[in-house]
């Protein structure tokens, strides 16, 4: 039988006895305090009305009080920022610990070599090696371009490797996300790009049906498959590839390459007609080569995103490089947002985000943070999180913007007339042009007035060869960085506590000493007997170069 817990109820006799003891204790404490002589603090008598220069003294005191308040406010904001840094370091440290535990459990029964391979799965070198595998195994390479900035999605290093490979490799350009660009702009880009490579207009499916998605819709009928599962241009592309495969008399492999978040995996899902590859809004979802069979004669290869060269402009790096949403924001992200805002029409950005006029990108981010309620403790705008959100909006499908093609057609130096003819050989270009026009006509495009005009920064240089990568290990941090963060955190917590104590002591001293200063001033004015005593020599916190500053070193008769 289980023992019952003892009741906390007391008898009345016991309760009254306890209350009596408490009353006696309080009486004793009051008596001792009375014996010690508890003195009340002296009240500030203020400045008498008969005192000369009373207005100047009051003004001095008021200004000093305002300065103290401003100083306290600054100290409070600094403390909040430091505490926020502390919290970020703690969360990063906890996340690293959880990762280490999970990896330790997985690799408990495996060899050291296997664990090293798992740790390096997210590294830039592994991305490059997987991309090289796709390029070597492919007969036809599809370079996927975002229709909003096709020139910025082109990688000259990749195109040069394919055109100068010496084999019978072909390169096709797939202009994806054409539903986010005005119709006239799509036609201009198709006319521009087809002079260099065969170009296919495409609109991939955002969400594909599968078993998991069907289960979700049964519980919460929120996903509308009528719009999200529609795709255009897949029949044209499939027919083009199948006809090319017949001319080769062999099974062909098609590699899909491009920068992160241009829609490589979504195109494969659209061609397959179901969800064959994992897709997501974050960049870098695909980490290795995936083989998806389309039919008996055709296989399609998915690849990780091309690694952008660090020597690119800030805008190219912001839009085309992999960004970890969980990692703390670096200065590159804020630089990228600044460049992004500077390359757009200010009025159109204000209309899209529904915010008032702003002077610089920092003010834009703070206004957007306040509008969306992204605030830190104390109502400070969370600029770092908003910067990531803005970049995700521009690389995702949230913002409809477009860029104009160059006025003059100037092919890159590696693309000669002979190479262009070789790339176009084996494809029915007239049929392709007709299919592209029907695809463009079938889609609903946004108007130019509702879209944002964007100035393209030009082609983005990429790293194709594994040897050219300087960084080693994981792109999203390693154990050494977490150790450094821990050391910084320990040093920071010790210094932070000391600074807080010092600041509180200083504030108390300044508040206590403010009243005696006024009393001493009035005594000097009222009870000075000679001329020497009339000259007041003391220094206040007020700056000397203000117009209304009063000079107390002047002698008055």
């Amino acid at each position: 039988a289980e023992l019952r817990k003892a009741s906390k109820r007391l008898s009345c006799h016991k309760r009254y006895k306890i209350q009596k003891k408490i009353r006696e204790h309080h009486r004793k404490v009051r008596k001792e305090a009375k014996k010690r002589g508890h003195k009340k603090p002296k009240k500030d008598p203020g400045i008498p009305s008969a005192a000369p220069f009373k207005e100047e003294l009051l003004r001095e005191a008021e200004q000093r009080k305002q300065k103290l308040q401003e100083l306290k406010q600054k100290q409070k904001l600094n403390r909040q920022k430091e505490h926020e840094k502390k919290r970020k370091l703690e969360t990063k440290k906890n996340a690293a610990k959880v990762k280490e535990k999970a990896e330790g459990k997985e690799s408990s029964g495996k060899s050291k070599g296997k664990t090293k391979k798992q740790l390096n799965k997210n590294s830039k070198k592994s991305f490059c090696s997987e991309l090289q595998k796709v390029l070597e195994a492919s007969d036809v390479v599809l370079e996927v371009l975002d229709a909003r900035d096709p020139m910025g999605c082109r990688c000259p290093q990749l195109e040069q490797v394919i055109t100068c490979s010496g084999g019978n490799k072909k390169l096709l350009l797939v202009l994806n996300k054409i539903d986010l660009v005005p119709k006239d702009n799509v036609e201009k880009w198709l006319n521009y790009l087809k002079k260099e490579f065969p170009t296919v207009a495409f609109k991939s499916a955002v969400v594909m049906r599968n078993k998991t998605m069907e289960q979700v819709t049964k519980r919460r009928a929120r996903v509308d498959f009528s719009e999200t599962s529609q795709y255009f241009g897949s029949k044209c592309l499939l027919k083009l590839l199948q006809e090319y495969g017949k001319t080769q008399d062999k099974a062909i492999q098609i590699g899909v390459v491009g920068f992160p978040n241009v829609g490589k995996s979504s195109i494969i899902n659209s061609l397959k007609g179901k969800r064959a590859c994992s897709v997501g809004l974050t960049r870098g979802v695909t980490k290795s080569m995936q083989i998806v069979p389309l039919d008996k004669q055709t296989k399609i290869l998915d690849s990780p995103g091309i690694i952008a060269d660090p020597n690119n402009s800030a805008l190219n790096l912001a839009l085309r490089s992999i960004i970890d949403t969980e990692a703390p924001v670096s200065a590159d992200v804020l630089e990228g947002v600044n460049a992004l805002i500077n390359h757009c029409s200010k009025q159109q950005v204000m209309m899209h985000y529904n915010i008032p006029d702003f002077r610089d990108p920092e003010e834009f981010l703070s206004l957007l943070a306040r509008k969306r309620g992204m605030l830190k403790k104390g109502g400070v705008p969370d600029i770092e999180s908003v910067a990531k959100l803005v970049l995700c909006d521009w690389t995702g499908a949230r913002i409809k913007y477009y860029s104009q093609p160059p006025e003059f057609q100037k092919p890159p130096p590696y693309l000669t007339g002979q190479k262009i003819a070789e790339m176009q050989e084996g494809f029915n270009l007239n049929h392709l042009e007709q299919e592209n026009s029907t695809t463009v006509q079938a889609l609903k495009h946004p108007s130019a007035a509702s879209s944002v005009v964007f100035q393209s920064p030009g082609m983005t240089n990429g790293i194709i060869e594994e040897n050219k990568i300087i960084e080693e290990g994981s792109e999203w941090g390693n154990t050494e960085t977490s150790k450094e963060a821990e050391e910084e955190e320990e040093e920071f917590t010790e210094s932070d506590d000391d600074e807080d104590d010092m600041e509180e002591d200083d504030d108390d001293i300044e508040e206590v000493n403010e009243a005696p200063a006024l009393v001493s001033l009035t005594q000097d004015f009222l009870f000075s007997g000679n001329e020497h005593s009339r000259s007041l020599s003391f220094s206040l916190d007020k700056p000397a170069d203000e117009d209304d500053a009063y000079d107390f070193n002047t002698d008055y008769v």
Side-chain angles (χ1 to χ4, degrees):
E2 292 182 1
L3 293 172
R4 293 179 66 185
K5 288 183 180 179
S7 175
K8 292 182 179 180
R9 291 192 296 177
L10 299 172
S11 63
C12 292
H13 172 70
K14 205 167 185 179
R15 190 167 68 247
Y16 296 150
K17 195 175 180 181
I18 291 166
Q19 288 173 358
K20 189 179 177 183
K21 288 276 186 188
I22 291 167
R23 282 197 300 273
E24 286 175 359
H25 172 72
H26 287 322
R27 196 181 298 119
K28 191 178 178 181
V29 168
R30 284 197 301 272
K31 202 172 181 181
E32 286 176 358
K34 202 172 182 182
K35 280 180 183 177
R36 283 198 306 268
H38 182 69
K39 292 181 180 179
K40 290 183 180 180
K42 285 186 179 181
K43 191 178 178 182
D44 182 19
I47 302 170
S49 299
F53 315 114
K54 181 182 176 181
E55 290 180 3
E56 287 84 350
L57 289 170
L58 287 171
R59 189 166 65 242
E60 292 284 347
E62 188 63 32
Q63 287 173 356
R64 185 163 46 194
K65 198 174 180 182
Q66 284 178 1
K67 283 195 175 182
L68 284 172
Q69 286 176 354
E70 287 173 6
L71 185 66
K72 282 181 187 177
Q73 194 66 24
K74 280 183 184 176
Q75 288 169 353
K76 190 179 177 182
L77 288 172
N78 289 334
R79 262 185 254 125
Q80 284 175 356
K81 284 180 183 176
E82 298 298 334
H83 287 317
E84 193 65 32
K85 281 183 188 175
K86 256 167 67 174
R87 280 194 209 97
K88 280 185 182 177
L89 284 171
E90 281 174 7
T91 52
K92 195 176 177 183
K93 180 182 168 185
N94 293 335
K97 281 182 181 177
V98 170
K99 271 189 182 179
E100 282 175 10
K101 282 181 183 177
E103 285 168 2
K105 284 179 183 178
E106 287 176 4
S107 61
S108 57
K110 297 181 182 180
S111 63
K112 290 182 181 179
K114 286 184 180 179
T115 53
K116 280 181 184 177
K117 284 181 184 177
Q118 286 179 356
L119 288 171
N120 292 334
K121 194 177 180 182
N122 291 331
S123 68
K124 290 181 178 180
K125 283 198 171 184
S126 71
F127 283 7
C128 275
S129 64
E130 293 296 320
L131 181 63
Q132 281 180 337
K133 285 181 193 174
V134 172
L135 293 176
E136 287 170 6
S138 303
D139 299 305
V140 179
V141 178
L142 303 180
E143 188 180 9
V144 184
L145 312 177
D146 191 332
R148 296 173 293 182
D149 182 20
M151 196 58 76
C153 295
R154 288 181 66 178
C155 178
Q157 287 78 16
L158 174 78
E159 293 176 4
Q160 189 171 5
V161 165
I162 296 164
T163 52
C164 303
S165 59
N168 199 20
K169 286 187 192 292
K170 301 290 181 185
L171 179 65
L172 286 176
L173 301 180
V174 180
L175 198 63
N176 194 20
K177 303 182 184 180
I178 57 171
D179 58 317
L180 302 176
V181 179
K183 183 180 169 184
D184 298 341
N185 190 255
V186 176
E187 291 171 350
K188 284 179 185 177
W189 274 112
L190 287 171
N191 291 330
Y192 179 85
L193 295 171
K194 74 179 183 182
K195 294 174 184 175
E196 296 181 10
F197 295 103
T199 308
V200 182
F202 206 93
K203 189 263 176 186
S204 58
V206 181
V207 178
M208 296 298 295
R209 279 185 186 273
N210 64 355
K211 292 179 182 178
T212 56
M213 289 305 298
E214 283 172 6
Q215 288 173 3
V216 169
T217 50
K218 282 175 186 175
R219 289 198 303 271
R220 324 168 173 170
R222 289 185 182 177
V223 180
D224 183 15
F225 286 108
S226 62
E227 291 184 3
T228 53
S229 60
Q230 285 183 349
Y231 47 92
F232 296 86
S234 59
K235 288 181 182 178
C236 169
L237 185 57
L238 273 173
K239 192 173 181 182
L240 197 70
L241 296 171
Q242 286 168 355
E243 285 177 357
Y244 178 75
K246 287 174 184 176
T247 59
Q248 298 298 308
D249 295 329
K250 65 169 187 176
I252 59 167
Q253 290 188 332
I254 299 142
V256 182
V257 298
F259 284 102
N261 233 30
V262 291
K264 300 183 291 296
S265 301
S266 300
I267 285 173
I268 294 171
N269 291 340
S270 302
L271 291 172
K272 185 72 176 171
K274 64 179 183 182
R275 189 171 181 178
C277 299
S278 57
V279 294
L281 293 173
T282 55
R283 309 183 196 180
V285 174
T286 308
K287 294 179 175 61
S288 59
M289 182 176 76
Q290 297 177 14
I291 302 172
V292 180
L294 286 179
D295 53 37
K296 290 180 181 179
Q297 296 295 317
T298 313
K299 286 181 182 178
I300 195 158
L301 312 177
D302 194 9
S303 67
I306 301 168
I307 301 297
D309 194 336
N311 296 324
N312 281 306
S313 65
L315 181 58
N316 277 333
L317 287 173
L319 293 176
R320 307 290 162 231
S321 59
I322 297 170
I323 293 174
D324 183 19
T325 53
E326 294 179 1
V329 176
S330 61
D332 296 336
V333 175
L334 296 172
E335 258 185 65
V337 174
N338 290 355
L340 194 65
I341 300 301
N342 291 330
H343 277 71
C344 300
S345 170
K346 187 179 177 181
Q347 299 297 329
Q348 289 176 334
V349 171
M350 284 162 56
M351 287 174 66
H352 177 80
Y353 285 105
N354 195 15
I355 56 171
D357 191 11
F358 54 89
R359 286 170 293 181
D360 49 16
E362 287 181 11
E363 191 178 355
F364 161 74
L365 291 173
S366 64
L367 287 169
L368 189 61
R370 290 187 187 282
K371 186 179 183 297
R372 298 197 176 180
M374 299 176 75
L375 304 172
K376 296 180 186 176
K377 193 175 177 183
V380 180
D382 192 357
I383 289 173
E384 293 84 2
S385 302
V386 175
K388 280 184 183 177
L389 190 71
V390 169
L391 286 185
C392 290
D393 286 353
W394 282 77
T395 50
R398 282 181 176 271
I399 295 183
K400 294 169 183 175
Y401 64 92
Y402 65 96
S403 59
Q404 295 292 346
E407 294 179 4
F408 304 103
Q409 188 93 20
K410 189 181 178 183
Y414 55 82
L415 204 60
T416 59
Q418 186 183 351
K419 294 287 181 185
I420 292 170
E422 284 177 11
M423 290 295 129
Q424 293 176 350
E425 190 181 351
F427 297 109
N428 189 351
L429 298 178
N430 293 327
H431 178 69
L432 175 61
E433 194 171 346
Q434 289 174 5
E435 289 291 330
N436 281 340
S437 63
T438 53
T439 304
V440 171
Q441 293 295 332
L443 269 171
K444 186 181 178 181
H445 298 270
S447 63
S450 63
S451 303
V452 180
V453 180
F454 175 74
Q455 295 176 6
S456 177
M459 288 189 181
T460 306
N461 294 321
I463 301 174
I464 308 299
E465 295 177 10
E466 193 178 341
N467 303 327
K468 290 185 179 179
I469 291 177
I470 301 167
E471 276 188 19
E472 292 184 358
S474 174
E475 184 186 359
W476 300 326
N478 49 26
T479 52
E480 291 178 3
T481 53
S482 63
K483 284 179 184 176
E484 288 173 3
E486 285 175 19
E487 290 172 3
E488 286 175 5
E489 182 188 357
E490 288 172 2
E491 292 173 5
F492 169 71
T493 49
E494 291 173 2
S495 61
D496 187 47
D497 294 336
D498 297 339
E499 285 174 8
D500 287 348
D501 294 337
M502 291 292 289
E503 285 169 4
E504 288 172 3
D505 294 341
D506 292 342
D507 291 346
D508 293 338
I509 290 164
E510 286 171 353
E511 286 175 0
V512 170
N513 291 338
E514 190 176 353
L518 290 172
V519 176
S520 63
L521 283 172
T522 53
Q523 287 174 354
D524 287 338
F525 272 119
L526 294 172
F527 306 110
S528 56
N530 51 18
E531 290 181 358
H532 180 71
S533 62
R534 283 176 197 160
S535 62
L536 301 174
S537 59
F538 61 94
S539 63
L540 293 172
D541 296 334
K542 187 174 175 64
D545 52 348
E546 289 186 12
D547 294 336
D548 59 344
Y550 181 76
D551 187 8
F552 286 95
N553 294 324
T554 310
D555 292 336
Y556 290 93
V557 181

